[in-house]
Amino acid sequence: MPSLIYLDAISAMPPYPEVVAAMQPFLTEAWGNPMSPHVAGDRPRAAMDQARAEVAALIGADPREIIFTASGSEANNLAVQGIASAARGRRQIIVSAVEHPSVLSSCRALEAHGFRTVMLPVDSHGRVDPAEVQSAITKETGLVSIQAASGEIGTRQAIAEIGAITRRAGVTFHVDAVAAAGRMPLDVASLQVDAVSLSSNQLGGPSGVGALYLRRGIRLAPLIHGGTQERGRRAGLEAVPGIVGMGAAARLVAARLPGQQSWLEPLRLQLFNALRRVDGCRLTGHPTERLPGHVSLVIECVEGEALVMALSRDGIAAATGVTCRDRTAWKASPTVMALGFDQGLAQGAVVFSLWPGNTAEEIGRAADIIPRCIARLRALSPIYPLAQGTHQ
């Protein structure tokens, strides 16, 4: 799709050419089972070891603390359900109101088995108050799960402060870093976190691969049984080509991370400054403590899904929020509503997320096309003239 202006990197990024090249031998020649005790398993096993080290290096972990999964959502499920189930009678879980559906759904699944979820509110920018975490922790708390940053609203959380609180309290702290890894520095030791979820396709790797960092000594009940793969914590033959690709992507983004902000920020500002001039467009999330290259808005009298479809016809890929959520299940984003926006405005949520392939010329074209699409949709809206009247 050479003409497509791709502004949906928060859903998936195109795999880097170096990633595809690294994967190729494990699709064609080194296809053996890494568990096999013969020569056909040697190269896949060694490649997985290297990939484990590369993913670990991205977040300052030990390679033995990395568990490969099939996605970031599986990593979140394994962390929340696996850690909570192994928490020796502690049946309270603390989360925020803006967590990813894979975290919140895992909590609901555990509630059917007697667990209790405490959902903390966020402020108008989507941030959790660390003091609220401190107040919510009791002797029954077995797990705190707070995302590093939101893919829907871009807001970064005060993970180091929360980590210090949970470490003092002796409570396991899980961080969903799927949207954050590769976009902001993460060091598990300085953040004092115990578990971190990652996804390959957010790093410029292949889809269908994820990873969970689990600090040594943290107990985990596996979700998938039947084999001793991943040190017995996740049974099943590993997807070697994808794991190799995730490792290569982790190595690439780690090298590029220090200079990322300097080239992403001008492009983000170019797009945001064009859109903020459109009547009825309001930023969601924190104005400064947010992911680089992330612009999220609510737009009055425009449905986000309709805008994304209109933009697609005009050659722009964008998002309305989390792609894991059923399109028919939520017309209004629960995350955006948690910031205090009413349902009508939350239906107008849209997300533009940049990636390394974007150019200033592309962003300039997008800045022209997006307001025109908004105007076309508003021309069809029976409520927009009424809304204009209330603003006069």
Side-chain angles (χ1 to χ4, degrees):
M1 292 180 285
S3 62
L4 179 70
I5 301 174
Y6 190 75
L7 303 179
D8 192 18
I10 209 68
S11 297
M13 280 176 50
Y16 290 113
E18 299 96 325
V19 168
V20 176
M23 295 172 62
Q24 189 67 27
F26 299 92
L27 293 166
T28 56
E29 54 192 71
W31 38 259
N33 187 329
M35 293 283 285
S36 296
H38 49 66
V39 67
D42 291 347
R43 188 173 171 191
R45 184 166 54 252
M48 279 185 49
D49 289 343
Q50 179 180 337
R52 205 180 301 277
E54 289 166 335
V55 171
L58 180 64
I59 58 173
D62 186 298
R64 293 170 293 180
E65 298 171 315
I66 299 298
I67 306 166
F68 285 116
T69 66
S71 65
S73 287
E74 186 194 331
N76 279 339
N77 274 259
L78 179 57
V80 174
Q81 297 186 59
I83 293 171
S85 297
R88 294 180 176 175
R90 294 185 174 190
R91 304 183 73 80
Q92 184 198 72
I93 306 165
I94 298 172
V95 298
S96 82
V98 294
E99 297 304 312
H100 187 269
S102 58
V103 168
L104 298 179
S105 295
S106 291
C107 291
R108 285 194 292 272
L110 287 167
E111 286 170 359
H113 299 280
F115 286 83
R116 185 169 68 91
T117 304
V118 175
M119 185 176 293
L120 301 180
V122 294
D123 65 18
S124 60
H125 295 314
R127 294 201 102 197
V128 178
D129 185 348
E132 294 266 4
V133 178
Q134 174 100 55
S135 298
I137 291 175
T138 72
K139 64 181 181 179
E140 299 299 319
T141 307
L143 177 68
V144 173
S145 182
I146 305 291
Q147 63 189 194
S150 169
E152 286 195 72
I153 57 174
T155 297
R156 297 187 298 184
Q157 300 293 346
I159 295 301
E161 293 179 54
I162 297 171
I165 290 167
T166 56
R167 188 61 58 86
R168 285 196 301 269
V171 173
T172 303
F173 182 28
H174 165 247
V175 172
D176 172 6
V178 167
R183 294 184 172 92
M184 54 185 272
L186 295 170
D187 180 82
V188 294
S190 61
L191 294 174
Q192 300 188 69
V193 299
D194 302 301
V196 176
S197 298
L198 307 169
S199 180
S200 169
N201 68 350
Q202 294 290 306
L203 304 174
S207 298
V209 186
L212 176 67
Y213 156 78
L214 187 72
R215 185 167 67 88
R216 275 179 291 180
I218 301 298
R219 292 168 56 85
L220 181 82
L223 299 184
I224 302 175
H225 302 270
T228 59
Q229 291 90 349
E230 301 303 299
R231 297 177 179 264
R233 296 169 296 189
R234 197 243 186 209
L237 175 61
E238 296 97 339
V240 177
I243 288 170
V244 170
M246 184 176 186
R251 182 180 68 250
L252 288 170
V253 298
R256 297 171 182 177
L257 190 57
Q260 181 172 250
Q261 184 73 19
S262 62
W263 59 259
L264 266 183
E265 185 61 13
L267 296 181
R268 184 190 74 83
L269 286 174
Q270 180 185 356
L271 181 61
F272 175 60
N273 287 334
L275 298 181
R276 71 191 301 184
R277 291 192 289 268
V278 177
D279 177 55
C281 285
R282 296 163 61 180
L283 180 74
T284 59
H286 200 283
T288 57
E289 292 297 320
R290 63 186 301 119
L291 292 170
H294 190 286
V295 178
S296 54
L297 308 156
V298 289
I299 305 172
E300 293 180 7
C301 302
V302 170
E303 198 170 79
E305 185 177 6
L307 177 58
V308 167
M309 293 172 66
L311 290 172
S312 182
R313 289 192 292 269
D314 282 0
I316 295 176
T320 56
V322 173
T323 51
C324 297
R325 188 176 291 130
D326 186 344
R327 292 181 183 181
T328 62
W330 295 105
K331 284 291 186 179
S333 163
T335 293
V336 175
M337 291 180 69
L339 309 186
F341 291 100
D342 62 33
Q343 184 172 349
L345 269 177
Q347 288 180 335
V350 64
V351 180
F352 303 98
S353 47
L354 282 61
W355 69 291
N358 291 131
T359 65
E361 187 271 336
E362 280 187 330
I363 301 304
R365 284 165 49 207
D368 289 334
I369 294 169
I370 296 167
R372 291 205 302 268
C373 283
I374 293 171
R376 285 204 308 268
L377 291 173
R378 282 175 169 170
L380 302 173
S381 170
I383 63 171
Y384 183 59
L386 299 175
Q388 280 188 305
T390 62
H391 294 162
Q392 292 174 355

